[in-house]
Amino acid sequence: MGVYVVWETWLKPEHADPGYEITRAIWQDMPEFKGYVGHFLLRDQDDPAHLLVVSQWESRHAAEESKKQYASQKLADLQPLLSRERGRTVYDLQEVN
């Protein structure tokens, strides 16, 4: 079943749209990594500067390796647009109905 990694991003309000586009571009790069299954990019309806990415990986190891290996100018471009540090949590799927 693999694992799910949730990234939570808080952007400065004035950078909500460019931050969203950079985040989207980062996740478009993920299929190149071994073990990547897919993702959802969610944008808060009440706060467009708040994003969640729920990504699925074949294993925690695959998710951790992609994090170590992903070095992109896109991450550097995103950094000054953040209002606080991004959050990251790894989950096991418990139930689907």
Side-chain angles (χ1 to χ4, degrees):
M1 242 186 231
V3 299
Y4 290 82
V5 179
V6 177
W7 285 92
E8 190 164 15
T9 303
W10 299 269
L11 301 158
K12 295 173 184 169
E14 65 273 19
H15 298 301
D17 288 336
Y20 168 81
E21 291 301 329
I22 293 169
T23 300
R24 188 170 170 261
I26 289 169
W27 285 94
Q28 288 175 345
D29 292 343
M30 290 302 117
E32 71 187 54
F33 289 96
K34 184 177 179 179
Y36 171 80
V37 177
H39 74 274
F40 294 98
L41 173 55
L42 307 172
R43 196 168 191 181
D44 189 325
Q45 288 187 347
D46 297 320
D47 180 1
H50 182 212
L51 308 175
L52 285 178
V53 175
V54 180
S55 61
Q56 185 179 6
W57 298 84
E58 290 177 0
S59 67
R60 184 172 192 150
H61 177 76
E64 298 298 336
E65 285 300 306
S66 70
K67 183 180 176 223
K68 287 180 196 172
Q69 294 174 14
Y70 188 75
S72 168
Q73 181 61 41
K74 295 168 193 161
L75 286 175
D77 293 344
L78 183 62
Q79 196 62 37
L81 308 184
L82 300 175
S83 64
R84 59 177 158 173
E85 185 177 342
R86 295 185 306 150
R88 180 180 184 268
T89 308
V90 181
Y91 295 91
D92 286 318
L93 181 64
Q94 298 298 302
E95 182 177 341
V96 176
N97 64 34

